[in-house]
Amino acid sequence: MPDMATVVGGLADAFTLTNFFYIVLGVTLGQVIAAIPGLGTVMALAIVIPFTLALDTLTAVAFLISISKGGTVGGAVSAILLNTPGSAEAAATTFDGHPMAKKGQAGKAMKYSLYYSIFGDVSSDIVLILVAAPLATVALKMGPIEICALMVLAFTVISGLVGASMIKGFIAVGFGLLMGSVGLDPGYGTPRFTFGSFELYDGIPLGPLALGMLAVSVIIREISKMTRGHAGDSTLIVLPAENQRVTMKELLANRYVAFRAFVIGTVIGAIPGLGSSTAGMLSYSVTKQTAKDPEKFGTGDPRGIAASETANSAVVGANLIPLLTLGIPGNIGAALLVGAFVIHGVQPGPLLFEQQGRLVYGLFGAMLLANLANLMVGQFCMRLWAKVISAPATVVYPSALIVCSTGMYLITGSSAGVLFMVASAAVGFAMISFGYPFVAFIVAFILTPQLESAIVQAVRIADGDWWIILRHPIAIALLVLSAVLVVYLTPTKKKGEVAPA
């Protein structure tokens, strides 16, 4: 457990003018990009990560987390006004948000989404701050054999819960492990899969891969939809000019719904493989099923907005729990944060609290500050975002492609970065088209170095005696749980059920 000087020093590091500027900038970018249908928070993170190289570690990570927090607010804008969620996590918000807008209460619906989103976000951040250090202390007692078993469990969970086929999930994980092994072997230092290219000795760079797979491939897919005439035809509802305030009494009327949604979102966020969209949908479904008047849902009931927005925002803080304590990202957003940490020479995991405790608590302070900035920006800029989302897609997507290409060239200083990005975009487009979850691929790619190091250490400890695992009950329990999940989740796919994306 860190001492009080570390905690106070870290919190003080967060409250600087530079950090506050980037936090406000990140929240603003997250809100406006997530408000535009087809873009979303993940794309914003993928585009911005290369530009954080010039920032110090705390400022860079605070900037990226602020984008993620802003995205949970911005996605509700188009969900309410266009009946088209700007990001996947706001899908359940459309069920009651858009009907409220059609009743002339668009401003009221957007205020509900903002306030409940902030509540869920702040609450999950508090949970993260309270449980992260104790969990990291427990994780420190795990050796390389336990870490290998934990990685197997993480890959099993992600493969089983992301996408519609566990087999495709395992294939995506395997492909991610293969791509992550490009470069020098950690045990012997010999090059692997480099094909004589010195650019690959350090492995495939994360920046171009993430940008190409998570941003460019999605942009190309959306452009292809436009060319086939599948672009959305939703009509934008104009925000009314009259007073659309939400009173404290109206907010507190749904306090039990919001609290339950916060619990659901926090639990979902702490489980690797699940995400904000799952939390929002599950919370909305539970709220509707337990209501005395479920017929009112879908007609513009504020409880639907409270259930969706509180839950999907609670995931933002909770998905950092496995990242900071175990080094395992909970979703794509957290996986990109791993990339930001690694770029700045910091390895997420239980040792982070011991070696970089001040940085961790600086991050916690920045997260709380980002919540305040999120509320301020959302309060004053919602009407502006309503105008932004009316921009034609024929302008938005080509502009995003230009920004991606130019930024990658400037950051890498050569055309090699752009070529990596284009190749990754082609792979990402193929994976999307054939139903292979690139979430599993990205997580496996990022965790490969950590897994390889643990395997090398475990092999040296075993020294040929593989029965040594019998002396590690935690590892056995994790492997047994992995096998149980494979048996349990595989029949689910065969019955035609679709897992949450």
Side-chain angles (χ1 to χ4, degrees), residues 101-115:
K102 291 169 71 175
K103 292 179 180 178
Q105 296 179 318
K108 207 175 187 70
M110 292 172 68
K111 290 291 178 64
Y112 272 123
S113 70
L114 173 64
Y115 297 146

Side-chain angles (χ1 to χ4, degrees), residues 333-344:
L336 293 177
L337 290 178
V338 172
F341 273 116
V342 172
I343 287 173
H344 288 272

Side-chain angles (χ1 to χ4, degrees), residues 150-215:
L150 181 64
M151 293 289 183
V152 172
L153 175 62
F155 293 146
T156 303
V157 171
I158 292 172
S159 300
L161 297 179
V162 178
S165 169
M166 191 168 195
I167 294 177
K168 288 186 176 181
F170 276 127
I171 292 174
V173 166
F175 188 46
L177 292 172
L178 179 65
M179 293 296 102
S181 64
V182 172
L184 296 179
D185 180 275
Y188 300 97
T190 55
R192 302 174 304 187
F193 309 117
T194 58
F195 303 103
S197 174
F198 288 104
E199 286 85 358
L200 292 176
Y201 268 52
D202 290 329
I204 297 175
L206 177 62
L209 183 138
L211 190 61
M213 183 163 287
L214 302 178

Side-chain angles (χ1 to χ4, degrees), residues 62 78 86 90 141 148 155 209 278 283 285 304 346 371 403 458 467 487 499 501:
S78 56
K141 301 183 183 300
C148 289
F155 293 146
L209 183 138
T278 303
S283 177
S285 176
V346 178
N371 292 325
V403 170
W467 294 106
V487 174

